Amino acid sequence: MTIRSLIGAAAAALAIATAIPAAAHDLGETVTPHFEKAIPNIPGKKLSTLIVDYAPGGASLPHNHAKSAFIFAYVLSGEIESKVNDGPTQTYRAGESWYEPPASAHLVSRNASKTKPAKLLAVIVADSDEKELTTTIKQD
């Protein structure tokens, strides 16, 4: 499966999917699952897509990704600040993207603006039996 096919499948899923009730967190983020399907030509793998809406100044809690989860992130609107593992904190604008290798620590994920909302598409390829794709990092 090529990246182009993967992105095309995700876009098609978003166009036809009915959103599952969204999960809201206290930090100004709403995560809406849009699609999940086994990948027929890769036994034991599934493709999931999520939309993350950030309110102005909103953020996600620092979290770890599942050991099997390869993530492609695409900014749909606004600007997102992201820091993965030991990499630098970077700002991505609408139309820009990045990837996160399996078992990554996503230490910063937030709206870069205090006045405008932002929206992110996450496309995830993971083991079919993965139950939790993210786990909050406990902070002392």
Side-chain angles (χ1 to χ4, degrees):
M1 180 175 268
T2 67
I3 285 287
R4 186 173 290 226
S5 320
L6 194 67
I7 294 169
L14 289 174
I16 62 173
T18 301
I20 298 170
H25 299 163
D26 295 334
L27 299 174
E29 92 172 332
T30 302
V31 179
T32 307
H34 270 275
F35 177 83
E36 185 174 291
K37 185 78 174 159
I39 303 174
N41 60 339
I42 309 176
K45 295 291 184 181
K46 66 181 175 183
L47 174 72
S48 305
T49 61
L50 308 168
I51 298 290
V52 182
D53 286 286
Y54 289 106
S60 299
L61 292 170
H63 54 276
N64 289 314
H65 291 295
K67 290 180 182 176
S68 71
F70 177 87
I71 299 170
F72 170 79
Y74 181 84
V75 180
L76 297 169
S77 63
E79 296 182 2
I80 304 287
E81 291 180 343
S82 181
K83 176 180 174 61
V84 178
N85 298 324
D86 293 330
T89 300
Q90 294 185 270
T91 301
Y92 298 92
R93 291 163 182 75
E96 295 181 332
S97 61
W98 72 93
Y99 76 93
E100 301 173 26
S104 290
H106 200 164
L107 304 173
V108 174
S109 185
R110 64 181 169 233
N111 188 342
S113 173
K114 303 284 187 216
T115 60
K116 297 177 185 173
K119 187 178 290 199
L120 171 72
L121 167 68
V123 179
I124 304 163
V125 176
D127 289 348
S128 299
D129 59 357
E130 281 288 1
K131 301 295 182 226
E132 297 295 325
L133 296 176
T134 63
T135 305
T136 301
I137 296 172
K138 296 190 186 335
Q139 298 187 358
D140 298 325

